[in-house]
C-alpha cells in the first residue's frame, strides 16, 4: 500500500511544488494503489496496453515565460477536469514524479518509474476553474460538452 500521501489544498501549494520539483505529472485515476497493479494504461479504443501510465505534464513550458505559474497549473488541471465525470466515482487527481516512456494516442506522456507525490484537493480544482473562467480567452476543458 502507498504511504499516506499529503493533500495539496490550494493552487498556490501546487504551483510552489511545480516551481521546485522537476518531472511532475497529474494523473486522474483511483490513485497510486490502484495504478500500482496496472503499471501501464490501455488505449481506450483498442484495449492495447501502452508503455506507462497516462498522465499530463505539470512542468511550465518556456513559451509561458514569466506568466503566473498558478495560472499555468490552473489550466493544466482545468483541461482534464471532465475525467472524474467520464471515468466514474472515485476518480480524482494526484501528482506523481516519473519518467516519460512514450506517448499515448492523444500524445499524452506515458509515465514509468512512478513515485506518488500527493493528492489534489477538490477545492484546488474549483479554484482552477475560477482562475480559467476569469481569463479573456474562450478556454474550456478538453471535453467541452456535458454528458
Amino acid at each position: 500500500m502507498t504511504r499516506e500521501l499529503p493533500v495539496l489544498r490550494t493552487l498556490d501549494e501546487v504551483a510552489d511544488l511545480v516551481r521546485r520539483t522537476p518531472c511532475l505529472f497529474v494523473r486522474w485515476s483511483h490513485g497510486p494503489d490502484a495504478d500500482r497493479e496496472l503499471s501501464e494504461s490501455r488505449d481506450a479504443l483498442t484495449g492495447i496496453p501502452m508503455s506507462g501510465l497516462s498522465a499530463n505534464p505539470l512542468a511550465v513550458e518556456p513559451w509561458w515565460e514569466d506568466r503566473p505559474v498558478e495560472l499555468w497549473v490552473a489550466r493544466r488541471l482545468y483541461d482534464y477536469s471532465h475525467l472524474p465525470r467520464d471515468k466514474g466515482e472515485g476518480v480524482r487527481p494526484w501528482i506523481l514524479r516519473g519518467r516519460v516512456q512514450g506517448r499515448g494516442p492523444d500524445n499524452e506522456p506515458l509515465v514509468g518509474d512512478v513515485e506518488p507525490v500527493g493528492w489534489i484537493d477538490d477545492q484546488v480544482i474549483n479554484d482552477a476553474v475560477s482562475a480559467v473562467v476569469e481569463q479573456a480567452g474562450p478556454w474550456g476543458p478538453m471535453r467541452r460538452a456535458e454528458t
Side-chain angles (χ1 to χ4, degrees):
M1 179 173 252
T2 302
R3 63 180 165 74
E4 189 69 27
L5 292 178
V7 177
L8 296 136
R9 300 194 184 282
T10 68
L11 204 49
D12 288 339
E13 284 182 307
V14 178
D16 287 343
L17 182 65
V18 167
R19 280 186 194 95
R20 66 178 194 272
T21 311
C23 302
L24 290 179
F25 300 84
V26 62
R27 178 161 167 81
W28 300 76
S29 73
H30 289 99
D33 287 340
D35 289 346
R36 182 181 321 278
E37 295 181 20
L38 292 177
S39 76
E40 61 190 17
S41 294
R42 289 191 173 268
D43 176 31
L45 180 64
T46 63
I48 296 171
M50 299 186 290
S51 61
L53 293 177
S54 178
N56 297 103
L58 289 173
V60 178
E61 291 291 333
W63 59 264
W64 190 252
E65 297 176 342
D66 62 351
R67 293 172 181 92
V69 175
E70 292 78 7
L71 184 56
W72 173 267
V73 169
R75 182 167 186 187
R76 299 305 297 152
L77 296 175
Y78 182 72
D79 283 347
Y80 295 92
S81 61
H82 65 279
L83 290 177
R85 185 178 66 247
D86 289 359
K87 290 186 169 190
E89 190 173 333
V91 169
R92 56 191 278 216
W94 57 283
I95 295 176
L96 59 103
R97 250 189 305 256
R99 182 177 54 82
V100 176
Q101 299 184 148
R103 294 280 173 178
D106 294 324
N107 202 33
E108 76 279 15
L110 301 173
V111 182
D113 300 326
V114 169
E115 178 189 340
V117 174
W119 291 104
I120 297 175
D121 190 78
D122 290 343
Q123 185 58 48
V124 176
I125 304 305
N126 295 338
D127 293 345
V129 169
S130 294
V132 169
V133 168
E134 290 173 4
Q135 302 307 303
W139 288 0
M142 298 299 288
R143 173 150 308 153
R144 288 165 173 80
E146 293 287 326
T147 55

